[in-house]
Amino acid sequence: MVDKKNRGDAVVVIGLGRFGGALAVELAGRDVEVLGVDSDPKNVQEFSGRLTHVVCADSTDPDALTQLGIAEFGRAVVGIGNDIEASILTTSILADLGVPDIWAKSINLQHSRILERVGAHHVVQPEHDMGERVAHLVTGRMLDYVEVDEDYALVKTKAPQWADGRSLSELGIRKKYEVTVVGIKKPGGRFTYATSGTVVNGGDILLVAGETDRAERFAEET
């Protein structure tokens, strides 16, 4: 049994498969207190010593989660993917326990909708999201792509040759393309915040924010 105390910044990760396990280890590597929960003793043994706490428990049992003090955790991640029933039941129990920030993994749209209905605050589809991201990279000239909201994205792209030696205010990118250059990286340097006076040169990398289709259109002209 895990000691019960206020763990507002701690995270409980339920389901230590490929997604949940990788997430839990990454969080632990960032000095976040992580409780890993899995019903498979082999998974528990694999992550023992790599996370703050690891326990073998049935997450579909409300009493088991209550005894573990899950209600004291500020954030929870349901990494169960293949067992849809267990995923939904676990998410519902976490919501009943009052966990304020619940993330859940989904395998399809219908699963996502049910998870949201039973209490998940955030639903992720790792395979779908990654496939969509890679598709944007494969079919375009973007160096990286992150959809931060529905139809709104951050795009990393090379500065267009026609922008060489001119400031952002001179280029009028926001007016012409309806996107905003929020960051710029000089060759060999690091990303810095972009202002209207920032001068763009060949070889620079731009971080552009805007509606997805407009951001993509700008990247195509680089």
Side-chain angles (χ1 to χ4, degrees):
M1 179 173 152
V2 179
D3 293 336
K4 295 183 180 179
K5 62 180 181 179
N6 191 307
R7 289 192 164 92
D9 294 328
V11 181
V12 55
V13 179
I14 300 175
L16 298 174
R18 284 188 301 174
F19 172 74
L23 175 66
V25 170
E26 179 66 24
L27 289 170
R30 299 185 181 193
D31 295 324
V32 175
E33 181 184 355
V34 179
L35 166 62
V37 180
D38 200 286
S39 60
D40 187 340
K42 291 182 180 179
N43 286 343
V44 172
Q45 183 176 8
E46 179 184 349
F47 289 94
S48 178
R50 301 174 68 186
L51 308 177
T52 316
H53 310 282
V54 188
V55 297
C56 185
D58 178 6
S59 63
T60 65
D61 181 354
D63 291 336
L65 296 189
T66 299
Q67 290 174 10
L68 288 172
I70 301 302
E72 307 301 323
F73 283 74
R75 292 164 291 179
V77 178
V78 181
I80 304 169
N82 295 331
D83 189 338
I84 294 180
E85 183 179 358
S87 165
I88 294 168
L89 284 172
T90 299
T91 302
S92 177
I93 293 169
L94 292 173
D96 289 342
L97 289 174
V99 177
D101 195 16
I102 303 171
W103 294 72
K105 175 188 175 183
S106 163
I107 61 172
N108 56 46
L109 183 59
Q110 184 179 14
H111 187 194
S112 296
R113 289 172 175 167
I114 296 173
L115 288 170
E116 290 173 346
R117 288 173 185 166
V118 300
H121 303 100
H122 314 274
V123 176
V124 294
Q125 289 182 247
E127 291 83 1
H128 173 273
D129 294 344
M130 180 56 72
E132 182 179 48
R133 177 170 175 263
V134 172
H136 279 90
L137 299 179
V138 170
T139 59
R141 300 191 63 187
M142 292 172 280
L143 301 176
D144 206 350
Y145 166 92
V146 178
E147 189 171 47
V148 295
D149 200 356
E150 186 175 353
D151 198 34
Y152 194 90
L154 279 174
V155 170
K156 185 168 75 172
T157 186
K158 293 180 180 179
Q161 292 299 319
W162 46 262
D164 192 42
R166 301 167 67 188
S167 69
L168 289 176
S169 61
E170 291 178 283
L171 293 170
I173 292 174
R174 181 181 295 180
K175 183 176 181 180
K176 182 178 180 180
Y177 294 94
E178 297 183 60
V179 297
T180 302
V181 178
V182 296
I184 185 168
K185 180 180 179 182
K186 301 292 183 181
R190 304 176 67 179
F191 269 107
T192 58
Y193 183 71
T195 67
S196 60
T198 299
V199 175
V200 179
N201 293 301
D204 291 349
I205 302 298
L206 305 179
L207 187 62
V208 178
E211 293 184 12
T212 303
D213 58 344
R214 291 182 171 88
E216 290 178 338
R217 183 166 64 91
F218 175 77
E220 288 301 317
E221 297 200 14
T222 63

Coordinates of all heavy atoms in Angstrom, one line a residue, residues 9 22-34 50-52 75:
D9 N 1.1 17.0 -7.4 CA 2.0 17.1 -8.5 C 2.4 15.7 -9.0 O 3.1 15.6 -10.0 CB 3.3 17.9 -8.2 CG 3.0 19.4 -7.9 OD1 2.0 19.9 -8.6 OD2 3.7 20.0 -7.1
A22 N 6.4 3.6 -21.2 CA 7.3 4.6 -21.8 C 7.0 6.0 -21.1 O 7.9 6.7 -20.8 CB 7.2 4.7 -23.3
L23 N 5.7 6.3 -21.0 CA 5.3 7.6 -20.4 C 5.7 7.6 -18.9 O 6.2 8.7 -18.5 CB 3.8 7.7 -20.5 CG 3.1 8.9 -19.8 CD1 3.6 10.2 -20.5 CD2 1.6 8.8 -19.8
A24 N 5.5 6.6 -18.2 CA 5.9 6.5 -16.8 C 7.4 6.8 -16.6 O 7.8 7.5 -15.7 CB 5.4 5.2 -16.1
V25 N 8.2 6.1 -17.4 CA 9.6 6.2 -17.3 C 10.1 7.6 -17.6 O 11.0 8.2 -17.0 CB 10.3 5.2 -18.2 CG1 11.8 5.4 -18.3 CG2 10.1 3.8 -17.7
E26 N 9.5 8.2 -18.7 CA 9.8 9.6 -19.1 C 9.5 10.6 -18.0 O 10.3 11.5 -17.7 CB 9.0 9.9 -20.3 CG 9.3 11.4 -20.8 CD 10.7 11.6 -21.3 OE1 11.4 10.6 -21.7 OE2 11.1 12.8 -21.3
L27 N 8.3 10.4 -17.3 CA 7.9 11.3 -16.2 C 8.9 11.1 -15.0 O 9.3 12.1 -14.4 CB 6.5 10.9 -15.8 CG 5.4 11.3 -16.7 CD1 4.1 10.7 -16.2 CD2 5.3 12.8 -16.8
A28 N 9.2 9.9 -14.7 CA 10.2 9.6 -13.6 C 11.5 10.3 -13.9 O 12.2 10.8 -13.0 CB 10.3 8.1 -13.4
G29 N 11.9 10.2 -15.2 CA 13.2 10.8 -15.6 C 13.2 12.3 -15.5 O 14.2 13.0 -15.4
R30 N 12.0 12.9 -15.4 CA 11.8 14.4 -15.2 C 11.6 14.7 -13.7 O 11.1 15.8 -13.3 CB 10.7 14.9 -16.0 CG 10.9 14.7 -17.5 CD 9.9 15.3 -18.3 NE 10.1 15.1 -19.8 CZ 9.4 15.7 -20.7 NH1 8.5 16.7 -20.4 NH2 9.7 15.5 -22.0
D31 N 11.9 13.7 -12.8 CA 11.8 13.9 -11.4 C 10.4 14.1 -10.9 O 10.1 14.8 -9.9 CB 12.7 15.1 -10.9 CG 14.1 14.8 -11.1 OD1 14.6 13.7 -10.9 OD2 14.9 15.8 -11.4
V32 N 9.4 13.5 -11.6 CA 8.0 13.5 -11.2 C 7.8 12.2 -10.4 O 8.2 11.2 -10.8 CB 7.1 13.5 -12.4 CG1 5.6 13.4 -12.0 CG2 7.3 14.8 -13.3
E33 N 7.0 12.4 -9.3 CA 6.7 11.2 -8.5 C 5.6 10.4 -9.3 O 4.6 10.9 -9.7 CB 6.1 11.6 -7.2 CG 5.7 10.4 -6.3 CD 5.1 10.8 -5.0 OE1 5.0 12.0 -4.7 OE2 4.6 9.9 -4.3
V34 N 5.9 9.1 -9.6 CA 5.1 8.3 -10.4 C 4.7 7.0 -9.7 O 5.6 6.3 -9.2 CB 5.8 7.9 -11.7 CG1 4.8 7.1 -12.6 CG2 6.1 9.2 -12.5
R50 N 12.4 1.5 -11.3 CA 12.5 2.5 -12.3 C 11.5 3.7 -12.1 O 11.6 4.8 -12.6 CB 12.2 1.9 -13.7 CG 13.2 0.8 -14.1 CD 12.8 0.1 -15.4 NE 13.0 1.0 -16.5 CZ 12.6 0.7 -17.8 NH1 12.0 -0.4 -18.0 NH2 12.8 1.5 -18.7
L51 N 10.5 3.4 -11.3 CA 9.5 4.4 -10.9 C 9.5 4.6 -9.4 O 10.0 3.8 -8.7 CB 8.1 3.9 -11.4 CG 7.9 3.5 -12.9 CD1 6.5 3.0 -13.1 CD2 8.3 4.7 -13.8
T52 N 8.8 5.6 -8.9 CA 8.8 5.9 -7.5 C 8.1 4.8 -6.8 O 8.6 4.3 -5.7 CB 8.0 7.2 -7.2 OG1 8.4 8.2 -8.1 CG2 8.3 7.7 -5.8
R75 N -3.0 13.9 -10.9 CA -3.1 13.5 -12.3 C -3.0 12.0 -12.5 O -2.3 11.4 -11.7 CB -2.0 14.2 -13.2 CG -2.0 15.7 -13.3 CD -0.7 16.3 -13.8 NE 0.3 16.2 -12.7 CZ 1.5 16.6 -12.9 NH1 1.9 17.1 -14.1 NH2 2.4 16.5 -11.9

